Amino acid sequence: EIEGKPMIEHIIQKLKRSGFSNFIITTHYLNEIINEYFGDGVKWNVNISYIHEDTPLGTGGALTLLPDDITDLPIIITNGDVITDLDYSKFLEFHNKKQFDITMCVKRLENKIDFGVVEVNQDIVEKIVEKPTMSYLINSGVYVVNFDQLSKFERGIEITMPEIIEHCQSYGSIVGSFVLKDYWIDVGQPKDFYKVRVNTNDKNN
């Protein structure tokens, strides 16, 4: 829980404010507790259904269990341990405007190195950079996927989202990136859990 609510509830409320009302939660560990708490979503005026994995299949594997007739529209996928101020409607709008098959939400992180970095070529020191700041784009754990992309995969296989993306690319699918400039944190580790803050809008819902 964060501020008295499960992380998934915060995610659902943020998505609801962006105009989304239909949710599927994939479960494995503690699925009975999750099902009992969220039910069919009527408490939040949304529709919630569930897909249960008997054995963990990875984020990509869970997607292969979605019903074939659920939609022909793009779907938003988010990890359950990600808290962000991302405007999901703008994310989807970007995906549609660019006509991507898959869009990965990425976050720029900077890592300051507290030592001089030495560049060496064949034992010769070529350059010394004192305490540089390295910049990276990392996977934020949030995606938009055109539903037809999932037809490329066997039902119930164990596969990660990066593997899903790489496989789709091998078939010529266009995978785009959306740079997230808003607050984001992955709270999969206890040390990160205690850093999290939640948008004040959630406190009143």
Side-chain angles (χ1 to χ4, degrees):
E1 291 187 350
I2 297 173
E3 298 180 347
K5 298 178 184 178
M7 285 183 283
I8 298 175
E9 184 174 353
H10 287 288
I11 294 171
I12 288 173
Q13 289 179 330
K14 288 178 182 296
L15 278 157
K16 181 185 175 185
R17 287 198 298 274
S18 290
F20 299 93
S21 58
N22 296 310
F23 298 84
I24 297 175
I25 301 175
T26 61
T27 63
H28 173 65
Y29 181 62
L30 299 180
N31 64 294
E32 299 91 349
I33 294 175
I34 294 171
N35 287 20
E36 181 179 356
Y37 184 89
F38 289 102
D40 62 2
V42 65
K43 178 180 176 182
W44 297 272
N45 197 28
V46 298
N47 304 309
I48 298 177
S49 56
Y50 302 86
I51 291 178
H52 178 67
E53 301 171 58
D54 293 327
T55 58
L57 300 176
T59 302
L63 295 177
T64 70
L65 299 178
L66 291 171
D68 294 335
D69 60 351
I70 188 172
T71 184
D72 58 358
L73 298 173
I75 59 174
I76 289 180
I77 302 153
T78 178
N79 292 350
D81 54 4
V82 167
I83 297 296
T84 177
D85 287 341
L86 168 68
D87 186 328
Y88 294 94
S89 60
K90 289 184 179 178
F91 181 35
L92 179 60
E93 180 182 353
F94 174 86
H95 170 84
N96 290 331
K97 182 178 180 180
K98 294 290 187 177
Q99 297 184 327
F100 293 143
D101 296 303
I102 300 174
T103 303
M104 175 188 291
C105 186
V106 298
K107 178 72 174 176
R108 184 171 298 280
L109 292 185
E110 293 186 345
N111 181 27
K112 182 171 175 54
I113 299 176
D114 292 329
F115 305 93
V117 173
V118 182
E119 296 181 9
V120 175
N121 183 14
Q122 297 183 349
D123 299 330
I124 302 297
V125 175
E126 293 189 337
K127 189 176 182 180
I128 302 173
V129 181
E130 191 64 24
K131 298 182 179 180
T133 297
M134 310 298 290
S135 179
Y136 309 90
L137 288 174
I138 59 101
N139 181 359
S140 75
V142 185
Y143 316 83
V144 179
V145 177
N146 289 350
F147 193 72
D148 61 5
Q149 296 297 300
L150 302 180
S151 64
K152 298 177 172 65
F153 301 92
E154 178 185 349
R155 185 175 176 83
I157 62 171
E158 182 178 348
I159 188 169
T160 65
M161 272 306 296
E163 289 171 330
I164 287 270
I165 289 171
E166 290 173 0
H167 185 80
C168 289
Q169 285 176 312
S170 72
Y171 277 87
S173 298
I174 301 175
V175 179
S177 64
F178 177 88
V179 179
L180 173 63
K181 298 180 180 179
D182 301 300
Y183 176 79
W184 173 90
I185 189 167
D186 180 322
V187 292
Q189 299 294 326
K191 63 182 178 63
D192 295 320
F193 177 82
Y194 293 105
K195 297 177 184 177
V196 72
R197 71 166 175 79
V198 177
N199 190 301
T200 53
N201 289 333
D202 276 345
K203 298 177 182 178
N204 301 318
N205 290 330

